Amino acid sequence: MRPAHVTSTGAGAVVGAAPVVLVAHGSRDPRAAEATRALARAVEAARPGSTVLSSWLDHTEPGPAGVLRDLAAAGHPRAVLVPLLLTAAYHRKVDIPAAVAAARESGTPLDVRITDVLGPADGVVDGGLLAGLRRRLVEAEPGPVDALVLAAAGTRDFRARGSVGRVAAALGAELGVPCRVSYASAAPPPAGVAVAKLRAAGALRVAVAAYFLAPGVFHDAVREAARDAGATAVAAPLTDAPDLADLVLRRVDATQPH
């Protein structure tokens, strides 16, 4: 029986663009999986006729290797895999290539193109990412602010932390205020400390931009700590922001031969 999430035209012939497989980190928090599914729906809505499938590296099924195997079995000759990651750290470097390799071990040919992550690629911060962060900030209704904190999940990879810093610098430059990075794990400072330091330096109104793709325990902790430290507002995660859906499609298009 063909899996319900894969469609074919029959006789192994598939027409149209390559299916897009979104690969999220995965979380025990069900809100995270729903955020991935919502983004998949937003990408499909932004490009009618496209097929966009969700997968997760951990905690939630299906995994990317299984989705790719199903696509190959259904007769799709190719697929585009989009890492729903904001930094090109361990998961992009190791876990995702391993999933593609595992899918290929089934012996069914499938041309898989892996896009850049959604964070900075080759040092460039995509305007759509910044637009999504601004959108969520506006929705949080912070009013006028004189400083920002960009709260990220955290990583021990110093290159990945550097990319978060580039996003903070770009966001601060767009809004004309200082923007300090904070991390929910793996690296200092935590969000509450970052907010407190900006306030101690004279900032009266500090808002927090959430450098998260989905809600979960990290974002919950950031929101609580930042508010306790006096933040005027804490933005929601990017989830299915239209700007993020457009960014996914630009990443997909960049893998296509010209």
Side-chain angles (χ1 to χ4, degrees):
M1 179 179 296
R2 181 176 294 118
H5 59 276
V6 175
T7 58
S8 171
T9 60
V14 180
V15 297
V20 174
V21 181
L22 305 183
V23 186
H25 179 279
S27 169
R28 291 184 178 88
D29 191 317
R31 294 174 297 171
E34 180 49 40
T36 302
R37 297 185 187 102
L39 179 57
R41 292 191 294 268
V43 175
E44 284 188 329
R47 183 163 292 174
S50 60
T51 297
V52 184
L53 309 172
S54 301
S55 67
W56 294 267
L57 292 171
D58 201 4
H59 301 302
T60 305
E61 293 292 336
V67 173
L68 293 173
R69 281 193 291 264
D70 289 345
L71 287 170
H76 292 266
R78 63 194 185 280
V80 180
L81 191 153
V82 183
L84 297 186
L85 303 169
L86 293 172
T87 61
Y90 185 86
H91 297 299
R92 173 61 181 87
K93 295 174 182 176
V94 178
D95 290 339
I96 286 177
V100 173
R104 286 174 175 156
E105 288 175 359
S106 67
T108 306
L110 183 67
D111 175 21
V112 181
R113 298 175 185 266
I114 305 175
T115 76
D116 287 322
V117 299
L118 302 185
D122 297 325
V124 178
V125 181
D126 189 276
L129 180 61
L130 295 176
L133 291 169
R134 292 198 311 271
R135 178 189 296 272
R136 294 300 189 227
L137 274 171
V138 169
E139 291 170 352
E141 299 181 345
V145 299
D146 46 17
L148 289 172
V149 171
L150 182 69
T155 173
R156 293 182 176 86
D157 187 314
F158 75 94
R159 292 185 181 86
R161 292 198 300 273
S163 77
V164 178
R166 283 192 288 277
V167 174
L171 184 63
E174 282 207 356
L175 297 179
V177 296
C179 185
R180 188 184 190 100
V181 174
S182 74
Y183 296 104
S185 69
V193 171
V195 170
K197 285 186 175 180
L198 285 168
R199 285 171 53 82
L204 299 178
R205 296 181 60 82
V206 180
V208 177
Y211 199 48
F212 294 91
L213 293 175
V217 293
F218 279 171
H219 183 262
D220 289 347
V222 163
R223 183 175 56 225
E224 182 177 353
R227 286 177 173 169
D228 287 347
T232 59
V234 179
L238 290 160
T239 57
D240 60 345
D243 321 276
L244 196 66
D246 290 342
L247 172 54
V248 167
L249 288 172
R250 281 195 295 281
R251 291 291 192 249
V252 169
D253 291 343
T255 69
Q256 306 307 306
H258 298 289

